Amino acid sequence: GQNIDQPTEMTATEGAIVQINCTYQTSGFNGLFWYQQHAGEAPTFLSYNVLDGLEEKGRFSSFLSRSKGYSYLLLKELQMKDSASYLCAVRDSNYQLIWGAGTKLIIKP
Amino acid sequence: DAGITQSPRHKVTETGTPVTLRCHQTENHRYMYWYRQDPGHGLRLIHYSYGVKDTDKGEVSDGYSVSRSKTEDFLLTLESATSSQTSVYFCAISESREPGELFFGEGSRLTVL
């Protein structure tokens, strides 16, 4: 079956760095997405990786290793507003998105 | 932000009643999706559309039907609501299949008593 694994919850301190991991087993691979979802709101697009390596976008970076079925989202200089759930999703060979259950990130002062 | 709205945003209904959720977009995007989100689960695809009158089933389509008679509107219908369909429903749109990032509506919270 197809599976996306990410930690259920993580805690970090304001101003610090946190890495949220995502491992996947899917039928084929056509890209990996990270989304941010604040409580009670819609998910919003953060990043897209289709080739191995690191994609940087301001304080957020996303890394992909296709051979390992692994990605991480790196958040630097954490701010209180970064408290949210972070969703990992993989597009399979049928171009369908398979979603992880999300990682709830709690930022403490 | 993508122009995408859902209605109603909140609805409480009783078991056995029909329910229709509406998704409206102003972006002229080709692809539209209906997802449900439940605690402990990832977003799960109910149905999707790749054009007017072109729809297909997702992984949790049982008990749901959809229609897309215009590019801008995608309707999700629960013919006879059950308590297991209590959920938050998100509509999403994408311009293309690749890279195909999704833009989501605000969500519709449905409670079936």
Side-chain angles (χ1 to χ4, degrees):
Chain A
Q2 307 204 91
N3 197 50
I4 309 287
D5 284 319
Q6 26 179 157
T8 302
E9 186 174 296
M10 298 181 70
T11 302
T13 304
E14 189 177 16
I17 299 173
V18 70
Q19 177 175 311
I20 302 173
N21 296 325
C22 171
T23 58
Y24 62 89
Q25 290 179 303
T26 56
S27 303
F29 178 86
N30 281 300
L32 185 144
F33 296 82
W34 285 97
Y35 283 78
Q36 181 189 60
Q37 186 177 24
H38 286 101
E41 298 183 8
T44 56
F45 170 74
L46 284 178
S47 68
Y48 171 70
N49 295 72
V50 67
L51 300 176
D52 290 351
L54 189 67
E55 294 280 344
E56 297 185 83
K57 192 184 293 185
R59 294 188 299 114
F60 292 8
S61 304
S62 56
F63 172 83
L64 174 66
S65 169
R66 289 172 296 171
S67 62
K68 295 182 179 178
Y70 168 70
S71 173
Y72 67 73
L73 181 69
L74 191 71
L75 291 73
K76 302 176 184 176
E77 301 170 13
L78 286 170
Q79 302 175 9
M80 296 304 293
K81 67 179 182 179
D82 297 329
S83 292
S85 289
Y86 292 86
L87 315 180
C88 174
V90 173
R91 174 158 282 135
D92 68 12
S93 57
N94 294 319
Y95 280 83
Q96 295 304 320
L97 277 176
I98 312 301
W99 294 81
T103 298
K104 183 179 181 180
L105 178 63
I106 299 168
I107 309 297
K108 296 187 174 179
Chain B
D1 291 339
I4 175 170
T5 55
Q6 294 182 225
S7 59
R9 296 289 314 281
H10 300 273
K11 186 171 182 65
V12 179
T13 191
E14 293 190 350
T15 298
T17 59
V19 176
T20 295
L21 305 180
R22 179 182 184 235
C23 178
H24 178 77
Q25 61 145 330
T26 57
E27 303 296 320
N28 201 35
H29 283 0
R30 177 181 175 186
Y31 296 89
M32 299 187 75
Y33 308 81
W34 277 107
Y35 285 93
R36 62 178 290 173
Q37 188 174 42
D38 303 290
H41 292 271
L43 287 160
R44 291 182 289 177
L45 182 65
I46 304 171
H47 282 279
Y48 66 100
S49 170
Y50 43 96
V52 173
K53 297 187 179 178
D54 288 325
T55 65
D56 208 345
K57 296 179 179 180
E59 64 174 308
V60 291
S61 60
D62 286 349
Y64 303 94
S65 62
V66 290
S67 66
R68 191 171 179 197
S69 58
K70 298 185 289 184
T71 298
E72 57 266 35
D73 290 325
F74 193 33
L75 304 180
L76 177 71
T77 297
L78 292 66
E79 301 291 346
S80 177
T82 68
S83 59
S84 64
Q85 294 176 311
T86 292
S87 186
V88 178
Y89 292 85
F90 284 102
C91 176
I93 62 175
S94 67
E95 186 173 16
S96 63
R97 201 168 77 148
E98 195 163 10
E101 67 266 34
L102 302 182
F103 300 96
F104 286 84
E106 319 97 307
S108 296
R109 182 174 294 275
L110 176 67
T111 302
V112 184
L113 301 176

